[in-house]
Amino acid sequence: MTVITDKQTKAEEIKNEANVLFKEKKYPAAVEKYTEAIKENPNVASYYTNRAFCHLKLESYGYAIADSDSALAIDPNFTKANYRRASANMALGKFKEALKDLRIVSKRAPSDKDAKAKFDECAKIVRRIEFEKAIEHNEKKRSVADSLDIDSIAVEASYDGPRINEETKKIDLPFVQALIQRFKDQKKIHKKYAFMIVLAIREYMMEAPSLIEVSVPKDGQLTVCGDVHGQFYDFINIFQTNGFPSESHAYLFNGDFVDRGSFSVEVILTLFSYKWLYPQRLYLARGNHETDNMNKVYGFEGEVKAKFSEMMFNLFSETFNALPLSHVIEHKIFVTHGGLFSRDGVTLDEIKKIDRIGQGQPGSDGLMCELLWSDPQPEMGRSASKRGVGIQFGPDVTKDFLDTNGLDMIIRSHEVKEDGYVIEHAGKCVTVFSAPNYCDTVGNKGALINISPDMKLDYVTFDAVPHPSVKPMQYASQFSGLLGM
């Protein structure tokens, strides 16, 4: 006969409170409640998988893996823990690890068609990655840019969209304005012009260092934006309400232009067009989602293939590899997508010399990875990342980096915030996130930072605007369900 203790009863009550918070999408509060339940009774596997699901929603994939491990330590046959761990590894682009758990889930539930479909999709990705590696090993991979013959691509007479002058091979402001309107109308531009735009930016970025010095226009301002994640209509709303890029109004977009939102092609082609038009007034930094593994999972690869072709995606991939990793504004403000490093003493010169193009994809450690993936924490020192990649860094780490390099503050992005931005580390570390109502579900505001020539920072918040009825991650195949979308 099983005796139910007071602690077990209390733990169940707390777990039920956590479940209510989860249904209300109050994920941080739910995490706290599940943690309380675990303290009362640490021997229930489902408490850990419930908390893991919250961590998935909060993109804390490292924590979700740890909770899944704890659940399986209690009950090795608890299939839900394998599913949660597969979800977290998939979110991190660790497809082989995810496949191990999906194989277990499939075997234990052979009649579950959804589990089988996800297993098959993951297996297909793993096979493709292995095939691509084998090809690279056996022969030098030829650049897509080098294999493209743009002049041979014909533009049909029936095409009624904006055109690039094929003699000058230059764009002008009317072209960009027409491009934006065409995208608003949910129409594509011709593939020839899309290739020309991406090629122009690739060529420009290939010559740039990994860290770019930025100045504020003397007669205007510089606007720093965080993640926009393919939310084209919210992205364009930034320009409509805050001013379009121009010679007197510079913009710096701090990574994660694509994925999740299903208008990522429209966002990136608009940004690249403005970069081509105003190379010294539109700045782009690579985010952790400008990488192949993320694009396979979160929709950008599928979207590009649906709207254009696999060759177009491969060209985007090459171009993302060439994007700079960081910017410094007026020798005072360091701007990067994720954050700081696992060691002290990193200099701007070191960052500038990172061979990002040679490295290509960022890997799971090193300076490039940490710039794209790290997050601040309120505690001093460093700790393992909640995401499972990069690190978490405290106020002392921020201070050391700023002191080492003679800087005043850091602006980074990478994390959704309820009010669109958060100021931490005694005002020295600011997070700005520019995708309001993230994934159509979070309800957060977006934010941007306007910086004047005298280096005053003005924080502006904004709400989401209506968009066509296309759901987030529309092109993410089987994985949107796996990731709890």
Side-chain angles (χ1 to χ4, degrees):
M1 180 177 172
T2 304
V3 177
I4 307 295
T5 67
D6 289 344
K7 277 187 170 292
Q8 288 172 322
T9 301
K10 187 175 180 184
E12 273 296 297
E13 290 172 355
I14 296 169
K15 183 263 293 186
N16 291 335
E17 291 174 26
N19 288 350
V20 171
L21 290 167
F22 181 87
K23 285 177 183 175
E24 294 173 348
K25 299 181 180 178
K26 297 176 180 176
Y27 303 124
V31 166
E32 289 181 14
K33 281 294 178 183
Y34 286 128
T35 303
E36 283 182 41
I38 289 166
K39 283 179 181 175
E40 290 294 330
N41 185 3
N43 301 312
V44 181
S46 63
Y47 294 175
Y48 294 92
T49 54
N50 287 359
R51 189 170 67 177
F53 201 12
C54 290
H55 287 315
L56 286 171
K57 293 289 189 181
L58 294 167
E59 301 182 22
S60 300
Y61 305 121
Y63 290 170
I65 290 169
D67 273 346
S68 301
D69 290 344
S70 297
L72 288 167
I74 295 166
D75 181 357
N77 297 312
F78 194 49
T79 306
K80 188 175 283 187
N82 296 102
Y83 193 78
R84 295 280 185 260
R85 191 165 63 186
S87 302
N89 277 314
M90 185 63 66
L92 293 169
K94 296 180 178 179
F95 303 111
K96 280 189 176 180
E97 294 301 312
L99 188 60
K100 292 176 188 174
D101 280 313
L102 288 173
R103 182 175 284 113
I104 291 169
V105 173
S106 261
K107 282 183 178 176
R108 288 182 185 160
S111 60
D112 187 332
K113 291 181 181 178
D114 186 55
K116 178 70 166 60
K118 288 178 172 63
F119 170 75
D120 290 344
E121 186 77 10
C122 189
K124 188 166 69 176
I125 289 178
V126 170
R127 285 195 300 270
R128 195 175 99 205
I129 290 171
E130 292 302 317
F131 177 69
E132 288 169 355
K133 279 183 182 174
I135 290 174
E136 281 186 46
H137 181 72
N138 293 327
E139 59 183 68
K140 190 174 183 349
K141 190 176 179 184
R142 189 182 180 195
S143 163
V144 176
D146 294 339
S147 63
L148 267 172
D149 181 6
I150 288 292
D151 292 333
S152 70
I153 302 174
V155 179
E156 302 80 8
S158 60
Y159 173 69
D160 62 352
R163 295 171 179 257
I164 296 174
N165 186 313
E166 295 189 26
E167 290 184 11
T168 64
K169 290 185 167 58
K170 299 277 186 185
I171 60 172
D172 55 17
L173 185 55
F175 171 85
V176 180
Q177 291 169 334
L179 176 94
I180 291 170
Q181 187 56 53
R182 190 165 180 84
F183 289 160
K184 283 183 180 179
D185 295 338
Q186 293 185 265
K187 296 179 181 178
K188 294 188 297 183
I189 61 165
H190 197 277
K191 65 181 179 181
K192 178 168 190 170
Y193 303 134
F195 274 128
M196 289 176 74
I197 292 166
V198 183
L199 283 169
I201 300 313
R202 178 187 177 276
E203 183 179 357
Y204 185 89
M205 295 300 189
M206 291 286 284
E207 302 301 318
S210 290
L211 182 148
I212 306 285
E213 304 279 349
V214 177
S215 59
V216 180
K218 298 304 177 193
D219 56 345
Q221 64 182 358
L222 167 69
T223 299
V224 180
C225 297
D227 308 36
V228 292
H229 273 301
Q231 297 184 195
F232 177 74
Y233 295 86
D234 295 313
F235 158 73
I236 287 300
N237 185 53
I238 291 172
F239 294 153
Q240 290 171 333
T241 57
N242 193 65
F244 284 82
S246 68
E247 291 297 346
S248 61
H249 192 165
Y251 274 86
L252 194 171
F253 282 86
N254 196 28
D256 283 12
F257 324 119
V258 302
D259 278 340
R260 293 198 179 269
S262 295
F263 302 96
S264 294
V265 165
E266 290 78 4
V267 168
I268 195 64
L269 287 176
T270 302
L271 283 171
F272 280 5
S273 295
Y274 269 122
K275 179 65 182 176
W276 193 4
L277 184 63
Y278 300 122
Q280 300 304 315
R281 289 293 181 260
L282 196 288
Y283 298 93
L284 301 170
R286 190 179 194 176
N288 65 303
H289 277 268
E290 279 70 57
T291 56
D292 287 355
N293 280 356
M294 294 295 100
N295 295 159
K296 289 182 197 310
V297 176
Y298 290 97
F300 183 61
E301 181 178 23
E303 182 183 344
V304 177
K305 288 179 178 179
K307 294 178 179 177
F308 288 104
S309 64
E310 183 172 5
M311 179 178 278
M312 183 72 77
F313 173 73
N314 291 335
L315 183 60
F316 271 118
S317 175
E318 287 184 14
T319 307
F320 288 166
N321 288 346
L323 291 174
L325 305 173
S326 306
H327 294 80
V328 174
I329 302 170
E330 297 287 2
H331 309 288
K332 293 182 178 180
I333 301 174
F334 179 73
V335 187
T336 199
H337 180 71
L340 298 182
F341 313 101
S342 52
R343 63 175 170 87
D344 289 336
V346 175
T347 65
L348 297 181
D349 195 48
E350 270 186 89
I351 297 168
K352 190 174 287 188
K353 291 177 180 175
I354 292 172
D355 182 15
R356 68 193 190 282
I357 297 168
Q359 187 174 337
Q361 300 303 304
S364 56
D365 55 25
L367 297 185
M368 183 170 164
C369 168
E370 289 164 356
L371 285 165
L372 300 184
W373 279 95
S374 293
D375 296 292
Q377 64 179 21
E379 302 82 13
M380 292 290 186
R382 296 174 172 89
S383 64
S385 170
K386 62 188 178 185
R387 298 176 188 270
V389 186
I391 62 146
Q392 291 179 190
F393 59 97
D396 54 329
V397 178
T398 295
K399 184 177 187 304
D400 177 83
F401 176 77
L402 295 175
D403 290 348
T404 297
N405 293 288
L407 299 165
D408 292 348
M409 67 180 292
I410 295 167
I411 296 176
R412 42 90 61 183
S413 303
H414 195 38
E415 291 181 284
V416 61
K417 297 297 180 185
E418 185 177 355
D419 293 322
Y421 73 98
V422 164
I423 302 172
E424 300 173 275
H425 295 184
K428 298 297 184 181
C429 181
V430 172
T431 298
V432 60
F433 190 87
S434 304
N437 194 25
Y438 183 42
C439 295
D440 289 352
T441 59
V442 178
N444 61 293
K445 288 184 179 295
L448 54 83
I449 307 171
N450 286 324
I451 304 176
S452 61
D454 61 0
M455 295 302 288
K456 294 256 175 61
L457 274 60
D458 178 30
Y459 297 88
V460 179
T461 62
F462 50 91
D463 294 313
V465 298
H467 65 75
S469 57
V470 180
K471 66 181 181 179
M473 290 178 67
Q474 175 73 32
Y475 302 93
S477 188
Q478 300 289 342
F479 296 127
S480 58
L482 185 64
L483 298 169
M485 296 302 296

